[in-house]
Amino acid sequence: YQQDNWNEGWTIGRIGAVHDNQVGNGGALVFHTHSGTTASGGAGNTEVSEKMRIRPNGNVGIGTTVPYFPLHVQGATGFNGEAKNNALLFDTASATTGTGGGIAFGGYSNGTGGDIYHFGNIQGIKENSTAGNYASAMLFSTRAAGATPVEQMRISSAGNVGIGTDSPNKPLEISSNDRQLRLSTGSEPTNYYTEIFSPYNSTNPFTMQGYYNGTSVKFIDITAAGGFSGPILKVGQGMS
């Protein structure tokens, strides 16, 4: 495009089709813009440069002429504090608790059919409804078959990580009606592991329990009074 009534011959943008050797006679669509530094123009002006390309295979490159993925963005990162990024997803909904940009991960559920657009989801949200308060959290969601996506983990504005809770108060908080933590080793069969959990009763608020060949063995029970009531307390390998 040339804005002739401003500066004759100043090319401020260009769209063109060019030969692309990705395939024998393939063609690519390229998009050029002008840096705007000077008012000089002409076909050989170095300030008019390629910014985006669509290759014969449909890959879109921004900042690169050889995109390797359906969308390939390459360039210097922007930053805000310790956050660095090459893309911005902005939610234009009126600001309130839970608004914020997100990204979904999808795929086929049956061969090459059954499109699922939310296998998983990551979203950055506003934590509150107070105007001007941009305390934010990061949400991670997954879904079960036949269900909609559900939040599984959250990192709060304080840096607390919550699994099974959307309001973690400690650096790591795990909330579950089942065992909260399982420790296992890849060198042992899957039926060898240790679980740490709170059984949600006033008698035994904390339990450490091992499983060996399907047999459970309690290592520690901490009662409400703070005593050790477990039948076995092992400290160190080979001790019983």
Side-chain angles (χ1 to χ4, degrees), residues 12 25 62 65 84 92 94 119 132-133 150 173 192 201 210 235:
I12 60 176
N25 293 313
I62 300 176
T65 61
K84 296 183 179 181
T92 58
S94 181
F119 280 149
N133 185 331
V150 176
E173 182 173 343
Y192 284 74
N201 61 65
V235 181

Side-chain angles (χ1 to χ4, degrees), residues 183-194:
L183 306 175
S184 62
T185 173
S187 62
E188 297 288 350
T190 56
N191 57 345
Y192 284 74
Y193 51 85
T194 299

Side-chain angles (χ1 to χ4, degrees), residues 24-54:
N25 293 313
L29 194 61
V30 295
F31 299 78
H32 297 73
T33 61
H34 194 290
S35 67
T37 304
T38 67
S40 60
N45 182 12
T46 58
E47 292 188 42
V48 179
S49 59
E50 180 178 334
K51 300 301 191 299
M52 186 174 78
R53 173 177 294 227
I54 304 175

Side-chain angles (χ1 to χ4, degrees), residues 105 115-121 141-150 152:
F105 302 90
D115 298 12
I116 299 296
Y117 300 127
H118 289 89
F119 280 149
N121 201 82
S141 301
T142 61
R143 72 188 305 176
T148 57
V150 176
Q152 305 292 356

Side-chain angles (χ1 to χ4, degrees), residues 89-180:
L89 303 177
F90 192 98
D91 184 1
T92 58
S94 181
T96 188
T97 304
T99 56
I103 183 169
F105 302 90
Y108 297 127
S109 64
N110 184 16
T112 56
D115 298 12
I116 299 296
Y117 300 127
H118 289 89
F119 280 149
N121 201 82
I122 301 174
Q123 182 188 14
I125 68 162
K126 178 176 164 63
E127 281 187 321
N128 56 78
S129 59
T130 305
N133 185 331
Y134 45 81
S136 55
M138 184 74 76
L139 275 58
F140 300 81
S141 301
T142 61
R143 72 188 305 176
T148 57
V150 176
E151 178 185 336
Q152 305 292 356
M153 186 174 75
R154 172 180 300 221
I155 305 174
S156 72
S157 59
N160 295 337
V161 177
I163 299 176
T165 175
D166 59 7
S167 54
N169 291 311
K170 301 298 179 184
L172 175 61
E173 182 173 343
I174 302 174
S175 178
S176 173
N177 291 326
D178 201 350
R179 291 0 187 195
Q180 284 92 2

